[in-house]
Amino acid sequence: MTTLLTRVKSKLFVHARRRSRSLLEGEYASVFHGRSLDYDDLRDYVPGDEVRDIDWRATARHQSPLVKRYVASRKQNLMLVVDTGRGMAASTRSGEPKSAVAIAAAGLVGYLAHRHGDLVGLVRGTATSTVAHELRGSEAHLEQLLRAVESATRVDGEQSNLATQLRWIVRTVRRRLVLLVVADDRDLDPELDDLLRRLHAQHEILWLTVEDADPTSIGGERTAYDVADAYTLPTLVRLDPKVRQAYAATVEARVRRTTELLDRRGINHGRLGSSDEVVTTVFALLERQRRARR
């Protein structure tokens, strides 16, 4: 049986352009605050690298741009924070379960962390319960974390409310963490805003939203229903052009509100609608985080 982590690696190496290889080779180490960096060696310049990292003397000798590469001498603790409520059992834009996209994203960042010697843990749950998995540093442990997300996310499960998991972290966790939050596509209410304010004072946070499928774009031969209450959406209603227009406006407004809130809190974020988008979206997110700390 193919492991979940094997699928993550396959996605990564299919997209292994020069930029992604450079992250694997060491740039991940420079992303987060609090990491002590030691000079390692030189590598070829890649578009998007910081000009300040160019070694001008080596560049002159080599006749092509070279940048300094660093390795970490202090390790990080990465905590994956994943919504496993029933909302994540719904479909995303690609038609995949949203949980599959969440697993691909969490697995990729967890794998990068593992490759650089960091410890990886998991906090998952629903509106009424939170389960924490301890920090460890093996691929077998990471596979167990991904399996836990997969098995916990069910259509007949409890409702989602990520504030429950974030509140648990605020109350329980004392050590500094890097938090990768993988969230359902919902409005972020004032309580969640306040939790993010408190968390961001202690931890570094990356945020990924897994998008909902658009019910107005699902063909009339298929049934669409809301996993929150199992209500079937009437085909004639959801395919009505006015309904489609209203739905698109609602989504646009929600995305705008979420973007404004996360930007105000200084949290780098991205959106995913397919597992095929995970590699490019995560690498872009890490790059923005790296630039933000300069």
Side-chain angles (χ1 to χ4, degrees):
M1 180 177 64
T2 302
T3 67
L4 295 175
L5 190 54
T6 297
R7 296 176 195 170
V8 169
K9 294 178 185 178
S10 298
K11 289 282 186 185
L12 175 63
F13 293 118
V14 164
H15 293 79
R17 302 183 181 93
R18 293 183 69 195
R19 187 61 182 159
S20 60
R21 284 201 301 270
S22 70
L23 273 168
L24 283 175
E25 290 167 0
E27 281 197 14
Y28 172 89
S30 68
V31 169
F32 299 108
H33 289 281
R35 185 185 289 273
S36 176
L37 299 176
D38 295 327
Y39 172 75
D40 185 26
D41 60 10
L42 299 170
R43 63 166 175 80
D44 291 333
Y45 173 85
V46 175
D49 284 333
E50 294 285 343
V51 173
R52 72 185 72 187
D53 288 338
I54 295 176
D55 187 320
W56 294 106
R57 291 185 180 181
T59 293
R61 292 193 301 269
H62 194 257
Q63 297 298 304
S64 65
L66 295 173
V67 297
K68 297 176 182 178
R69 184 170 63 175
Y70 298 86
V71 296
S73 57
R74 184 190 306 162
K75 303 305 179 185
Q76 297 283 1
N77 294 314
L78 170 68
M79 188 64 76
L80 308 172
V81 185
V82 184
D83 183 349
T84 54
R86 74 170 68 167
M88 294 296 280
S91 298
T92 189
R93 178 166 29 87
S94 64
E96 302 167 273
K98 293 165 74 173
S99 59
V101 178
I103 287 167
L108 174 57
V109 180
Y111 177 62
L112 290 173
H114 165 69
R115 277 186 62 98
H116 291 85
D118 295 345
L119 302 180
V120 184
L122 170 67
V123 173
R124 59 176 174 87
T126 66
T128 59
S129 64
T130 295
V131 178
H133 301 253
E134 63 183 325
L135 295 154
R136 291 185 181 176
S138 69
E139 284 197 11
H141 177 64
L142 180 55
E143 175 69 22
Q144 290 175 356
L145 301 184
L146 302 181
R147 290 288 177 190
V149 172
E150 181 182 55
S151 62
T153 310
R154 305 188 312 275
V155 174
D156 61 350
E158 297 179 3
Q159 298 282 9
S160 300
N161 187 352
L162 198 57
T164 303
Q165 286 69 61
L166 297 183
R167 194 182 310 114
W168 184 90
I169 295 173
V170 167
R171 294 174 176 173
T172 308
V173 177
R174 295 293 174 262
R175 70 174 75 183
R176 182 185 175 283
L177 299 171
V178 175
L179 303 177
L180 174 72
V181 180
V182 187
D184 197 2
D185 197 358
R186 302 176 54 171
D187 264 316
L188 307 185
D189 59 24
E191 180 192 11
L192 208 150
D193 184 19
D194 182 63
L195 288 168
L196 290 176
R197 176 188 62 80
R198 297 167 67 184
L199 286 167
H200 196 44
Q202 180 180 355
H203 310 287
E204 285 197 67
I205 305 173
L206 299 175
W207 187 283
L208 288 170
T209 299
V210 183
E211 298 175 347
D212 289 326
D214 179 355
T216 69
S217 66
I218 298 173
E221 73 283 357
R222 299 172 60 193
T223 300
Y225 69 95
D226 188 343
V227 300
D229 55 15
Y231 174 74
T232 300
L233 306 176
T235 301
L236 290 178
V237 173
R238 64 182 176 82
L239 296 184
D240 185 291
K242 292 182 179 179
V243 172
R244 179 173 296 175
Q245 184 178 13
Y247 180 82
T250 299
V251 171
E252 182 181 0
R254 184 174 68 241
V255 172
R256 183 174 62 252
R257 289 191 297 270
T258 299
T259 298
E260 290 172 353
L261 187 154
L262 294 174
D263 286 347
R264 185 171 69 250
R265 293 296 170 210
I267 296 171
N268 283 311
H269 55 91
R271 295 179 64 83
L272 291 164
S274 166
S275 61
D276 288 338
E277 299 170 359
V278 165
V279 174
T280 53
T281 301
V282 166
F283 281 4
L285 184 64
L286 292 175
E287 177 64 14
R288 289 196 297 274
Q289 185 75 8
R290 186 176 76 90
R291 290 175 179 273
R293 70 180 295 266
R294 293 287 177 142

